[in-house]
Amino acid sequence: MDEYSAQEPLLSSQGVKKTPFFISSVKWILKTLMWVIFMAWVAIIFFYPSKFGNELFEKWIRATDGTLFGLSGSLFLLMSGPILLIAFLAITHLIISGEEEFQQKKRSKYPRVRLWTFPVIVDGPFGVVTAAEFIGILLFIVYVVWAIYSYTLQNISIISAWQLTFREKSIWLLELTGLRLGVIGLFCLAFLFLPIARGSVLLRLVDIPFEHATKYHVWLGHLTMLLFTLHGLFYVIGWGMRGNLYHEILEWKDVGIANLAGVISLLAGLLMWVTSLPGVRKWSFELFFYTHQLYVVFVLFLAFHVGDFIFSMAAGGIFLFMLDRFLRFCQSRRTVEVVSAKCLPCGTVELVLSKPGNLRYNALSFVFLQIRELSWLQWHPFSVSSSPLDGKYHLSILIKVLGKWTAKLRENIKNISAAEAADLQEQPTQPNAKITACVEGPYGHEVPYHLMYENLILVAGGIGISPFLAILSDVLHRINEGRSCLPKNILVVWAVKKSNELPLLSTINMESICPYFSNTLNLEFQIYVTRETDPQLEEGVAHKAKSSSLCTASKECGMSVLVGTGDNIWSGLYVIASTVGFVILLGFLDLFYINPYGIQLWWYKGLLFMACMAASILIFGGCIVVLWHLWERKTSARDKSEENGIKADKMPRNGDAEDKNLYEENLARSTMVHYGSRPDFKDIFGYVSKRWGLVDVGVLVCGPPTLQSSVAREIRSQNLRRESHSPVFHFHSHSFDL
């Protein structure tokens, strides 16, 4: 390892194409414009509670009064328009950037700490929090405190001008405070749905995958529901002090706030909130999952509660989520064939799924899987264990049998495999049995960030090795094909409970992917078997055992390319067409129905607003989806004419017996297995510091929260007390925690 100098640039320039000046200029302009719009939008939200913000808001309302879209259009343009405009610009940026942007990025040759990869909090309710995330949390806290402070001063000023008793002043203060908390909650709601739009163009722009952004949704969800709960509680206390609690709760005004609709929305939100708490979620994940579908009731009755013009303040993020949800629904309707299924001796299932040749994904991706023979409702996320370079028409996932659903899957495969073997003995010409699935994804990083480091430490716990097998395969393929920007040093630290899990490393044959890769890549394995003190069968990593498997030779039913890191042009057309359609439908509604007939009912206009959002996606977005699907079929047919049969697809999972034995011998030489112990990350990182020197080291973790915290704690310690010749460690989590 020492022959690689720390002074070498992080990215090799070999084979890298320089970006044309015009392209780079356009991208710079787009980024600048998006930042300006975003900062202006945040400034509007931040200053809205102040007197200055109220004056500007009133001027905006007066300036746009009398337009076709009215008050709701003005508020939508001011509060939701910026995020949609950023989405349009992001689409353009992604189309211009293309698929190989990671090769064109410049990196400093001197290691330095980065805010988004430096963990500052490693324990507590937030889990592992990086410096950038910590700053974001502080900014939200500052905004909420500032807004409450500003609104409280305004409330006191208003009430002090009235001649009221102390009791009446207390009631009014409670109700006005509840009103202000509701407004703050609406602004938090504007951000709440952005992180859970799985294939969102905004997440792809900032290269934050859905599994990582989920925790932002969790944090925002707690804050939003706290504000809405206090909003409702303050009103309930005030109504109780007035003595008209029952009447106020059941009131549904035609013009004004519909209280009963707000109560229904809040109750739905409270059910989602309570069942999403960690204790309840771990006790019954299905209860959490099914209760969370009440978000439809929560949003719909919120629109009834406040009417169209107030709801439009948070509608932008909700609309982007609805766009993503419809696209996911369209993708998940397709039945995908399982090319092969294998039950490994360690209790892990390997599935190889059929996919079209034009489906794009990165090594660190995951899919949501549904198998209707097991359940029509359950969807489960799994990391992809294969590289996109493994094969054009397939991807693989490894599934650890841990619960009822995965146990049923393993039993089904075994039963079908046994029945297939019996049938083949009686009727050799009988066709193979098939397993089908529905798939959402793949989702993941927009660019393969694991290729941005020359030095990698991959820390896995149990089945967490799955995405790292994809990384190893991806790196080896790129070395074999002579591509640039590849890691030179990789250390794999893997903790397992029992040694029967060790054969998972043999699910890829590294020597057959890239012969003599050890001449180019320094690859080491440090494996810790925590619940065994001695080798059970034999010393090494390759345990011989039988496995059940079945295969179906077909690629007719591959997964759809509608979501994930799909086609930028089609996904962009879908977003733009739906948004333009929404504006058109709102204009027609105001022009031919609301204004001529004098519709004034707030809750009814809120319903019409939601209906326009849904109709624009179904009609305008649906047309794009149909055209996209036809284009996909045409492209797949053209690919099939070029390559006939799945045998043309390369599946480098196995070699012949001689190659496999050689591979296992080489793997054993680079592997150290520790029995009866857990990884000591202080020693591991100290060893790396001495061997690798002054370099950037990407540390990728996939495993339980305790493992993530242990690694993050040591990275923080190493970076804080590092010496001038020591490496800088960068923390990346690849764990999916709902």
Side-chain angles (χ1 to χ4, degrees), residues 94-95 97-102 204 207 331 355-363 365-366 388 392 395 441-448 559-569 571:
L94 288 173
I95 292 173
S97 298
E99 299 181 10
E100 300 294 331
E101 185 184 10
F102 72 94
R204 294 176 60 194
D207 198 22
Q331 186 198 34
K355 77 173 187 69
N358 62 330
L359 178 68
R360 184 172 66 89
Y361 71 99
N362 292 320
S365 297
F366 71 97
K392 189 176 181 181
L395 61 80
Y443 303 104
H445 282 271
E446 183 67 15
V447 295
M559 62 184 65
S560 172
V561 299
L562 292 183
V563 296
T565 52
D567 187 274
N568 292 327
I569 295 177
S571 59

Side-chain angles (χ1 to χ4, degrees), residues 346-366:
C346 59
T348 299
V349 174
E350 181 183 34
L351 298 182
V352 180
L353 303 174
S354 175
K355 77 173 187 69
N358 62 330
L359 178 68
R360 184 172 66 89
Y361 71 99
N362 292 320
L364 284 172
S365 297
F366 71 97

